[in-house]
Amino acid sequence: RQPHFTVKRSDFPEDFTFGTSTSAYQIEGSAFGSCGPCHWDSFAAAPGNVVRYENGSKACDHYHRWDGDLDLMQQLGVSAYRFSTSWARILPEGRGQVNEEGLDFYDKLVDGMLERGLQPNLTLYHWELPNALSDIGGWRNRDVTDLFADYAEIVVKRLGDRLSSVVTFNEPWCVTWYSHFHGAHAPGLRDIRAVSRAAHLVPVAHGKALAALRALGQKDLGIVLNFEHVSPFDESHASKTAAKLTEGIYNRWFLGGLFKGAYPDDVLAYLEPHLPEGWQQDMESIKAPLDWLGINYYTRNLVSAGETEDDAGLPEMIGNKGPLPRTEMDWEVYPEGLGYLLNWIKDTYTGDLPLAITENGMANNDKLVNGSVDDQERIAFLDAHFKQALSAIENGVPLKAYFVWSLMDNFEWALGYDKRFGLVHVDFDSYKRTPKASYHALQAMLDKS
Ligand code: GBH
């Protein structure tokens, strides 16, 4: 149990960036400001998808409390903020009529960051697809890839002159596999054909948006991928094979497309029959050079083989837990996985390309007691992961930034509001914000040289 960080600010390079990360649907409140309906609103309203039918309609009420939230970041002492814009807030129908109120909101938000010395780092897609586009097939429909590039252009034309970086997609694996195969996130599909199309069309949409933003002269363009440290649950051949395939789907598919212009053969063997026709012609634009890569890391996965396969022959892969301590999400705490992945990504795919940790953090059983939250576990968690980042830097990994997930407790998707990831506690009745012990510890760490 430790009250403060053992890692010091001065252990990191002087120009290293610390920030916090959030996303629009998880904090803003989709009921406010003439935001259009998105597939998360519908997904949450259908039975069995989100605990207690919770949703992001009010979320943290950030739409009305944004200036106080920016103050909290400024007082924390970070120099950067990773936020996202909601497609449905800016284009309620997904295309056509712009909701000026929505664009104005982000405009003043970005100005508010600059006034407080916070570099604005924008993510264009953190999962709230407008219902109008979900209705035409969402990421299974190639038309949506063009509409995404149009949306990206609208946002960047308005905000681009003040942004430090722009990310197309947050976590393509979640957008595709988690949402179209595991059914865990909107649109809640469980279908190899659906996920195969999405796993290609999301990179296509990325490539189109990237080209559009380059044409506008926008700088520092990137994408954010999520990674797990994957290994076999035991020494059996079956577990090793299942782990390899899981790791391919999770860690190598999008990296392969983006950095080699080729999907990995072992995964492609299962998806190719279902990919959209002419997919090979898209690979050139998918691998267009990026300025940086964002990495989200939370946990490891120990994989064993199941007994079954799906109707298209994809073998069942089972995620298991080992003996490590777990967070409130029941995720094993495995900081070494972050160090391993940073080195592996650099050595295998990205070389000298600047990298950033765009999300890392934990859900904790945080209780407000006498006006404070004593989240020692989060301090220890971040400290251990900061150490891994430091050794990677020492080892030559061009890691430039670290964004903690998350600034404040928020709508944790299918798990609703009681999985608390924040440095700041949110009371979801009064919307009162209370900085936790981890906030104060990070503040002290950033303050001392
Ligand atoms: C991120 O996704 C999201 O970008 C963010 O919006 C979210 O709030 C945050 O993480 C916290 O969840 O249950 O053992 O099978 C995280 C991606 C995908 C990581 C699912 C863990 C499941 C591990 N996650 N994965 S397990």
Side-chain angles (χ1 to χ4, degrees):
R1 307 215 121 206
Q2 57 193 68
H4 47 70
F5 288 95
T6 65
V7 163
K8 295 195 293 294
R9 176 64 183 90
S10 59
D11 296 336
F12 287 87
E14 220 173 303
D15 62 355
F16 194 82
T17 300
F18 283 94
T20 61
S21 195
T22 66
S23 90
Y25 192 78
Q26 293 178 275
I27 65 167
E28 288 175 359
S30 63
F32 310 126
S34 311
C35 183
C38 79
H39 71 171
W40 263 97
D41 297 316
S42 332
F43 183 72
N49 289 332
V50 179
V51 294
R52 297 175 293 273
Y53 287 96
E54 290 172 358
N55 61 47
S57 64
K58 300 223 168 67
C60 303
D61 192 31
H62 174 73
Y63 190 76
H64 299 111
R65 293 164 198 264
W66 59 273
D67 52 345
D69 293 337
L70 294 183
D71 288 343
L72 281 168
M73 273 182 271
Q74 184 184 31
Q75 288 152 18
L76 175 60
V78 291
S79 61
Y81 178 35
R82 173 173 176 251
F83 72 111
S84 75
T85 46
S86 159
W87 190 343
R89 181 177 296 291
I90 290 170
L91 291 158
E93 292 294 319
R95 58 181 132 186
Q97 190 68 46
V98 169
N99 171 26
E100 291 299 336
E101 190 182 342
L103 265 186
D104 289 348
F105 170 72
Y106 294 118
D107 203 77
K108 64 185 187 206
L109 187 67
V110 167
D111 282 343
M113 292 178 217
L114 296 179
E115 282 159 21
R116 292 166 178 84
L118 300 164
Q119 299 162 11
N121 294 273
L122 167 68
T123 297
L124 286 161
Y125 190 79
H126 202 127
W127 308 353
E128 56 286 281
L129 187 72
N131 268 349
L133 304 185
S134 183
D135 291 346
I136 60 169
W139 296 115
R140 290 163 292 154
N141 181 346
R142 193 179 272 277
D143 295 346
V144 173
T145 66
D146 292 307
L147 297 171
F148 177 69
D150 295 346
Y151 153 67
E153 249 187 39
I154 290 169
V155 180
V156 167
K157 273 186 181 156
R158 180 70 176 269
L159 309 177
D161 58 338
R162 287 155 290 158
L163 298 175
S164 290
S165 71
V166 181
V167 155
T168 53
F169 282 87
N170 178 65
E171 302 191 341
W173 180 87
C174 285
V175 177
T176 59
W177 285 89
Y178 215 41
S179 311
H180 294 75
F181 189 76
H182 299 288
H185 281 181
L189 302 177
R190 297 168 195 271
D191 177 10
I192 185 78
R193 289 158 202 88
V195 72
S196 301
R197 293 187 66 83
H200 178 65
L201 292 176
V202 165
V204 168
H206 158 82
K208 286 181 179 171
L210 201 73
L213 301 188
R214 290 267 182 243
L216 292 177
Q218 191 66 30
K219 301 261 190 329
D220 293 298
L221 306 180
I223 189 167
V224 167
L225 303 180
N226 56 305
F227 296 91
E228 279 181 356
H229 184 277
V230 181
S231 45
F233 183 57
D234 54 43
E235 286 302 301
S236 71
H237 180 70
S239 291
K240 286 180 183 162
T241 309
K244 186 94 186 106
L245 186 57
T246 300
E247 187 260 338
I249 289 171
Y250 210 103
N251 294 342
R252 286 184 280 111
W253 176 267
F254 297 104
L255 281 175
L258 293 163
F259 294 100
K260 298 188 192 290
Y263 297 127
D265 289 334
D266 55 343
V267 183
L268 189 60
Y270 292 100
L271 270 54
E272 184 162 14
H274 318 295
L275 290 181
E277 220 173 301
W279 65 272
Q280 289 94 340
Q281 277 93 68
D282 300 319
M283 298 315 291
E284 200 57 35
S285 74
I286 291 174
K287 74 158 195 220
L290 288 164
D291 303 312
W292 65 286
L293 173 70
I295 292 167
N296 292 355
Y297 176 79
Y298 289 92
T299 188
R300 71 167 179 175
N301 190 357
L302 301 176
V303 181
S304 61
E307 303 277 294
T308 62
E309 44 184 56
D310 80 336
D311 64 351
L314 188 74
E316 190 191 357
M317 293 156 270
I318 299 175
N320 302 275
K321 312 283 175 190
L324 300 176
R326 299 185 200 169
T327 70
E328 273 296 292
M329 297 291 274
D330 212 28
W331 299 347
E332 280 189 291
V333 178
Y334 189 56
E336 295 80 1
L338 176 61
Y340 171 86
L341 285 163
L342 286 167
N343 285 284
W344 172 77
I345 292 165
K346 169 196 169 249
D347 292 344
T348 320
Y349 295 93
T350 56
D352 295 335
L353 191 79
L355 304 178
I357 293 165
T358 33
E359 286 182 29
N360 173 245
M362 71 178 286
N364 196 40
N365 183 19
D366 296 325
K367 297 267 186 280
L368 194 58
V369 180
N370 298 329
S372 59
V373 179
D374 193 22
D375 59 337
Q376 303 296 324
E377 298 83 359
R378 181 170 287 105
I379 299 171
F381 180 99
L382 290 173
D383 198 50
H385 288 80
F386 285 167
K387 280 189 186 131
Q388 291 292 321
L390 274 176
S391 1
I393 294 170
E394 277 156 27
N395 206 30
V397 174
L399 182 69
K400 306 295 182 195
Y402 203 121
F403 293 82
V404 174
W405 184 273
S406 181
L407 169 65
M408 58 187 159
D409 299 338
N410 58 50
F411 176 63
E412 179 49 32
W413 306 112
L415 296 173
Y417 288 98
D418 62 23
K419 296 290 180 254
R420 296 178 174 274
F421 273 91
L423 296 167
V424 174
H425 180 277
V426 177
D427 177 321
F428 289 103
D429 295 317
S430 66
Y431 298 106
K432 186 179 184 329
R433 276 79 162 133
T434 307
K436 303 177 189 177
S438 58
Y439 174 102
H440 296 298
L442 186 57
Q443 187 179 48
M445 190 272 247
L446 293 172
D447 192 41
K448 288 192 210 108
S449 39

